[in-house]
Amino acid sequence: MKKTLVVFAHPYLEHSNSNVELINFYVRHQHYTLRDLYEEYPDFHIAAFRERKRLANYDRFIFQFPLIWFGMPPLLRLWIDEVFDRDWLQPEKENPLENKEVYILVTTGGKERSFSKTGTYQYSIDELISGLIVSLRVFKANIKHIKIVYEANKLSKKEIILHKKEFTELLNQ
């Protein structure tokens, strides 16, 4: 089993049943380490050096977050800005993300049809989180899958469990 770091950022976790279900899954399995950025950095002062060292210890990464006002949560954006060090791109430096598997899980209250060129917002989720996607590609990470859970705030317990099952099956492939 791959040692997996879950970089989780949700500023309003107490209002999110769908995210809580997956967090409970990560906590129960020894190969997953959950890093809740809002719990760890409530003052928004990122310990970038410590975070960079931590990344080197994992085989796989999951970035899990809700779409907040058509983008990533502010603390996750700051984490990326401070932790993803361009110095890793130097030939003599080890790039801790190179060829490592990455999964992205995004929850949103919006409907799937709203996130298209012809939809209400006229942008896809991939476009709205492109800062993360481009950053991961620059660092040569292997983005395996982007899972989007639409209308996450309206899902029944059964639907949440089905999404969790689908996502965990992806991780086990």
Side-chain angles (χ1 to χ4, degrees):
M1 188 64 115
K2 294 177 182 164
K3 191 173 174 189
T4 304
L5 177 65
V6 180
V7 179
F8 177 76
H10 197 313
Y12 313 109
L13 181 57
E14 65 275 9
H15 301 292
S16 177
N17 294 332
S18 55
N19 281 284
V20 167
E21 185 70 32
L22 268 170
I23 287 171
N24 289 335
F25 168 80
Y26 303 137
V27 170
R28 287 191 308 265
H29 291 82
Q30 67 182 5
H31 300 292
Y32 293 88
T33 301
L34 176 68
R35 306 299 303 164
D36 182 341
L37 297 183
Y38 279 90
E39 185 176 293
E40 189 164 343
Y41 298 113
D43 59 1
F44 278 57
H45 293 294
I46 308 291
F49 181 75
R50 183 180 68 204
E51 293 292 328
R52 286 185 210 115
K53 283 181 66 176
R54 181 178 288 137
L55 291 175
N57 295 320
Y58 290 89
D59 306 312
R60 178 171 63 178
F61 303 96
I62 299 170
F63 288 87
Q64 182 178 334
F65 56 92
L67 201 64
I68 301 285
W69 200 241
F70 308 106
M72 291 181 287
L75 186 54
L76 178 58
R77 177 74 251 169
L78 179 64
W79 187 90
I80 292 165
D81 289 346
E82 295 200 10
V83 174
F84 285 16
D85 186 343
R86 290 196 51 88
D87 195 38
W88 289 343
L89 300 175
Q90 303 303 318
E92 66 280 355
K93 300 280 183 154
E94 181 185 348
N95 175 352
L97 299 175
E98 189 169 2
N99 297 320
K100 300 227 180 144
E101 290 182 6
V102 175
Y103 293 81
I104 301 171
L105 176 65
V106 181
T107 58
T108 179
K111 296 177 180 178
E112 185 172 2
R113 69 176 177 267
S114 297
F115 293 98
S116 68
K117 293 289 180 208
T118 58
T120 305
Y121 309 124
Q122 300 180 345
Y123 288 91
S124 69
I125 300 283
D126 285 12
E127 290 171 310
L128 295 171
I129 65 166
S130 62
L132 174 60
I133 294 168
V134 171
S135 295
L136 291 167
R137 288 190 176 142
V138 164
F139 287 98
K140 300 177 183 172
N142 179 7
I143 301 173
K144 298 292 281 183
H145 191 79
I146 299 172
K147 178 167 177 50
I148 303 161
V149 178
Y150 296 96
E151 299 184 86
N153 56 333
K154 297 178 183 171
L155 297 176
S156 68
K157 179 76 169 173
K158 184 177 180 179
E159 291 168 319
I160 291 169
I161 290 169
L162 286 173
H163 279 289
K164 178 182 80 169
K165 183 176 186 242
E166 178 185 305
F167 189 63
T168 56
E169 286 173 359
L170 279 170
L171 295 172
N172 291 326
Q173 291 179 357

